[in-house]
Amino acid sequence: MPKQILVRVKDESAMVKNLERIYYAEDEDDIRFIAKMALETFGGFIVDANESGVGIVENAKVFKPDIFLLDVMMPDVDGVAAFNALAGSPEFKSIPVVFMTAKVRPDELATFREMGVSDVIAKPFDPKDLAANLINIWKQLDE
């Protein structure tokens, strides 16, 4: 059962919503497996894990995520391109996007924030802390 974390969604309806469904894109099989297992085990989340950003808008229409967790560097459609596709979609432009990346120099973080990315989780990450980190980001979205 998902953690009962209540956050006010930043949209015109101002509904309070639980964080339950995470759309995750990561091209590295081992990282994707570990992160998915950690989010499901420690957070109780429902995770749709994908190997790239290809078809993110179409896939998200079916999955209906509460938040997107995207690797930045992926082949075909990387995290930035996937973010831009979501930002251009009326259905998903208000859904938070979190990048998970090793690109965490101050100038890179500033660029991501200027783009409108909600937050960044640094790689390497501790699988035991991943769900808690995402919950904290979700809570901060209401502030």
Side-chain angles (χ1 to χ4, degrees):
M1 177 170 208
K3 301 271 188 211
Q4 294 299 307
I5 304 300
L6 299 177
V7 174
R8 189 164 304 282
V9 176
K10 306 274 187 187
D11 69 10
E12 62 280 352
S13 64
M15 294 173 45
V16 175
K17 182 163 178 50
N18 288 339
L19 175 59
E20 297 175 348
R21 301 173 69 79
I22 301 167
Y23 186 104
Y24 176 47
E26 165 65 59
D27 63 312
E28 296 289 333
D29 293 338
D30 54 345
I31 296 173
R32 188 173 60 249
F33 175 80
I34 290 168
K36 182 179 190 297
M37 185 183 338
L39 290 167
E40 291 172 342
T41 302
F42 298 116
F45 300 117
I46 301 164
V47 181
D48 183 8
N50 300 269
E51 60 188 34
S52 78
V54 172
I56 191 167
V57 172
E58 294 78 18
N59 294 340
K61 285 179 183 178
V62 175
F63 182 67
K64 299 182 181 359
D66 300 316
I67 198 167
F68 292 92
L69 180 60
L70 307 176
D71 180 21
V72 172
M73 297 178 61
M74 297 182 286
D76 302 320
V77 177
D78 65 11
V80 173
F83 173 83
N84 290 333
L86 293 167
S89 170
E91 296 158 280
F92 301 113
K93 67 182 179 182
S94 65
I95 306 272
V97 175
V98 175
F99 280 168
M100 188 158 35
T101 182
K103 300 178 81 162
V104 292
R105 289 191 334 248
D107 61 316
E108 293 166 327
L109 294 175
T111 299
F112 297 149
R113 297 223 194 287
E114 288 170 13
M115 289 173 47
V117 172
S118 299
D119 212 330
V120 176
I121 295 175
K123 286 182 182 177
F125 62 92
D126 184 339
K128 294 181 307 224
D129 296 334
L130 183 58
N133 289 343
L134 209 51
I135 289 168
N136 287 335
I137 291 167
W138 183 256
K139 287 179 181 179
Q140 290 173 5
L141 294 173
D142 191 38
E143 297 174 358

